Amino acid sequence: MPAIAIIGAQWGDEGKGKIVDLLADRTKVVVRFSGGNNAGHTVVNRLGEFRMHLIPSGIFHPDVTCIIGNGVVIDPATLFKEIDELVERGISTDNLNISNRAHLIMPYHILLDGLEEEARGSGAIGTTRKGVGPAFTDKTSRLGIRVCDLLDRESFRQRLGTVLEQKNNVLTRLYGAAPLAFDDVYRDYCRYGERIAPFVRETDVIVNEALGRGDLVLLEGAQGAMLDLDYGSYPYVTSAVSGGVSLGLGMSPSKIESVIGVFKAYITRVGGGPMPTELHDESGEFIREQGREYGTTTGRPRRCGWFDAVAGRYSVEVNGFTSAAIMKFDILDEFSTIKICTSYEIDGDSHIRPPACPYRLEKCVPVYEEMPGWKCSTSNIRRFEELPPQAQAYVRRIEELIGCPASIVSVGPDREQTIMVRPVP
Ligand code: IMP
C-alpha cells in the first residue's frame, strides 16, 4: 500500500481532520508534515469532539503510528498541553513519534510574530501570532533550534547562546522590546527536552519502513493550497501544497498514490489577504453561524463566501488532486439558490486562473453562475443517489468546473455523516 495525501484545497479549515480520522481505520501511519500549531484540526468521533493543533488526527486509533515530521515547527508548550488534554480524556499518546529534525518555536518567535505584525500596520497578514512564520524564517536563515538540539544540554547551551544573542539584539534594538533572559529560556527548554525525549525518532525511517512493508501511510496536510508560500496569495500565506510532502517527512513523491483535495462546499478565509468571493451580506453571516466558522486556533470569525471554482481549479492543478472531498455540504441545505464563481474579471478582462500579484487579486470581480438549492436536510443521507437532484447537480458542477472527481461528500461533523461517492484507493 502506498501513501495518501490529504491536502487543504482552499484557505485552510476545510475539514482535513475529519477525512484523516475517517480513513485512519485502514491506515498504519498518520503523519503531519507541515505548518505548526497555527493549524486547528477538529475531529468528532464516538469519543467526543477534539481540536488538535499539532498531534496528527490519527491519534484516536490505538493501532496507528502518529508522526510529527521534520517539516512541522513545534511549540513544546502547546505540544505538551495537547498531550495532557488527550491523556486526561483517556486517549493514549504512546503511539506518537516526533522527528528529531523538526524545528522548535522559541519564545522570541512568538514575541516577534506579534511585533512584526504590528510593524506591518495596515499591511498586517493577520497571522495567528503563534510564532510559526518567524520559526520558518529562522529555519531558512540557519538560526533555527531543532528537537535534536534539546537532547544534549551542553550543545543546546552553546546553540541557544549564539541564537539568543542575535534575537535579543533584534528585540531590543529594532523593536525596543525587553530582552529574553538566557537562564529562563534555557531552563524551560531543558525541561521540554526531558519530556520530549521519549517521543523523538528518525521519523523518516519509520515512514519508509512502513511503506516498504506495504502499509498505508496517510499524510495530513495543514492549512490550504491558497495559503502556500509559492502558490498562495503571497504575502498572506503560510503553508505547503502537496509537493511539500516529500521534504516535510523524508519520503519520495513516487510513493504517493493518491492526493485528496479537501474543499468546503463554499469557501472561508481567516486573516488578511484578497478573497474574491467573500460575502458581506446575510448569506455570508448565515454560513458563518450555521457552519460555526470561527477559527479553531484563534477564535476569529472566518470570512465566508461562495465556492470559488477559479481557485478550486488552480488548486487541483498545483496539487495534482486525484479526488476531492467536499465538506460541510449540509451548511448550504437552506439556500434557495447557490452561487459558484466560474471566472474573475479584472478591469473588464476575464481570467480563469488567480493572478500572482496581490494587487491584481484584490481587483478580481467574481463572475457567478447560479444554481437552484435543494431546501432540505442532507445530514442523514449516506448515499450519493439519495441526495436531492439539485444537490447532486451541485456536486457534479463543482467536479466539472475544478476538473476533479469527488470521492467524499461530508454532510455533518460526525464520522458517520459521510457519503462515499467513489472509493478512495
Ligand atoms: P501564520 O501561519 O500564523 O503566520 O498566519 C499566516 C496566515 O495564514 C494568516 O492569514 C492566518 O490566518 C492563516 N492561517 C494560518 N493557519 C491557518 C489555518 O490553520 N487555517 C486557516 N488559516 C490559517
Side-chain angles (χ1 to χ4, degrees):
M1 280 277 223
I4 298 183
I6 317 292
I7 305 289
Q10 298 168 327
W11 274 294
D13 310 316
E14 299 90 352
K16 297 173 287 290
K18 170 171 171 172
I19 300 297
V20 173
D21 185 55
L22 196 69
L23 300 180
D25 278 342
R26 301 155 38 190
T27 304
K28 288 287 192 316
V29 184
V30 177
V31 194
R32 273 277 311 266
F33 59 88
S34 65
N37 59 307
N38 49 355
H41 293 179
T42 304
V43 174
V44 183
N45 56 32
R46 66 187 165 76
L47 304 167
E49 179 168 333
F50 299 85
R51 284 154 188 253
M52 323 276 285
H53 300 284
L54 275 172
I55 297 181
S57 306
I59 201 74
F60 305 100
H61 299 254
D63 300 333
V64 169
T65 300
C66 287
I67 292 178
I68 300 179
N70 57 280
V72 178
V73 289
I74 299 174
D75 178 346
T78 307
L79 173 73
F80 296 128
K81 184 165 175 277
E82 210 162 297
I83 290 177
D84 291 344
E85 280 169 8
L86 285 169
V87 170
E88 258 169 43
R89 292 176 70 182
I91 317 290
S92 166
T93 54
D94 292 350
N95 52 355
L96 178 67
N97 301 268
I98 297 173
S99 169
N100 51 359
R101 293 171 193 268
H103 281 244
L104 293 164
I105 294 185
M106 305 297 290
Y108 44 81
H109 291 136
I110 299 170
L111 287 175
L112 287 169
D113 206 352
L115 292 166
E116 286 168 6
E117 271 292 79
E118 274 145 39
R120 285 183 198 113
S122 61
I125 293 168
T127 75
T128 56
R129 300 192 180 216
K130 302 289 178 193
V132 172
F136 277 114
T137 306
D138 275 358
K139 175 175 179 172
T140 311
S141 60
R142 291 158 289 181
L143 274 179
I145 295 185
R146 301 188 298 169
V147 167
C148 58
D149 295 325
L150 298 184
L151 304 183
D152 183 274
R153 284 191 172 206
E154 199 34 52
S155 61
F156 175 51
R157 175 184 286 282
Q158 284 174 26
R159 179 76 181 147
L160 182 66
T162 314
V163 174
L164 193 59
E165 195 181 327
Q166 292 205 36
K167 294 292 159 187
N168 275 338
N169 275 338
V170 176
L171 285 171
T172 54
R173 295 193 196 177
L174 192 60
Y175 292 108
L180 288 167
F182 176 90
D183 287 345
D184 292 349
V185 181
Y186 181 68
R187 185 199 54 227
D188 289 350
Y189 277 71
C190 282
R191 282 198 197 128
Y192 293 144
E194 276 168 25
R195 234 194 126 181
I196 211 168
F199 296 100
V200 179
R201 308 270 186 288
E202 297 274 0
T203 50
D204 51 315
V205 175
I206 304 178
V207 172
N208 285 310
E209 282 180 357
L211 289 166
R213 279 193 303 273
D215 291 344
L216 181 63
V217 175
L218 267 193
L219 313 169
E220 179 175 6
Q223 291 90 32
M226 301 308 290
L227 286 169
D228 181 71
L229 202 56
D230 284 277
Y231 293 101
S233 46
Y234 193 88
Y236 304 92
V237 293
T238 188
S239 65
V241 290
S242 64
V245 167
S246 314
L247 289 174
L249 59 87
M251 63 171 263
S252 161
S254 64
K255 299 286 186 347
I256 305 172
E257 184 183 272
S258 92
V259 186
I260 303 178
V262 187
F263 294 81
K264 276 178 193 164
Y266 45 93
I267 201 162
T268 63
R269 174 165 204 171
V270 62
M275 179 182 173
T277 64
E278 181 171 11
L279 290 166
H280 299 281
D281 59 7
E282 65 277 16
S283 295
E285 194 55 40
F286 179 84
I287 292 175
R288 183 175 308 112
E289 293 313 313
Q290 199 73 6
R292 290 162 64 198
E293 294 296 355
Y294 291 88
T296 310
T297 304
T298 56
R300 290 179 290 180
R302 295 183 185 138
R303 301 153 66 191
C304 300
W306 296 119
F307 189 88
D308 183 340
V310 178
R313 192 165 45 235
Y314 173 72
S315 195
V316 170
E317 263 172 47
V318 297
N319 284 288
F321 295 143
T322 49
S323 75
I326 302 176
M327 313 301 287
K328 291 197 151 180
F329 196 78
D330 54 305
I331 303 304
L332 300 182
D333 283 350
E334 289 182 33
F335 282 96
S336 37
T337 56
I338 296 170
K339 291 183 183 174
I340 305 183
C341 167
T342 53
S343 63
Y344 299 152
E345 250 180 47
I346 308 174
D347 298 330
D349 292 333
S350 176
H351 292 260
I352 55 162
R353 200 180 151 87
C357 300
Y359 59 86
R360 284 179 59 77
L361 197 51
E362 289 284 6
K363 282 182 159 185
C364 287
V365 179
V367 176
Y368 288 116
E369 180 176 294
E370 206 156 333
M371 298 193 67
W374 40 96
K375 299 279 289 167
C376 65
S377 170
T378 53
S379 49
N380 291 322
I381 296 177
R382 300 290 175 268
R383 284 163 40 84
F384 185 75
E385 300 71 37
E386 287 164 12
L387 281 173
Q390 299 90 333
Q392 292 188 30
Y394 184 64
V395 174
R396 295 298 180 220
R397 187 65 183 136
I398 288 177
E399 290 179 316
E400 205 168 70
L401 286 168
I402 66 173
C404 181
S407 50
I408 294 170
V409 173
S410 172
V411 289
D414 285 348
R415 215 185 258 182
E416 291 68 35
Q417 291 178 296
T418 307
I419 298 173
M420 298 305 292
V421 185
R422 290 182 175 77
V424 175

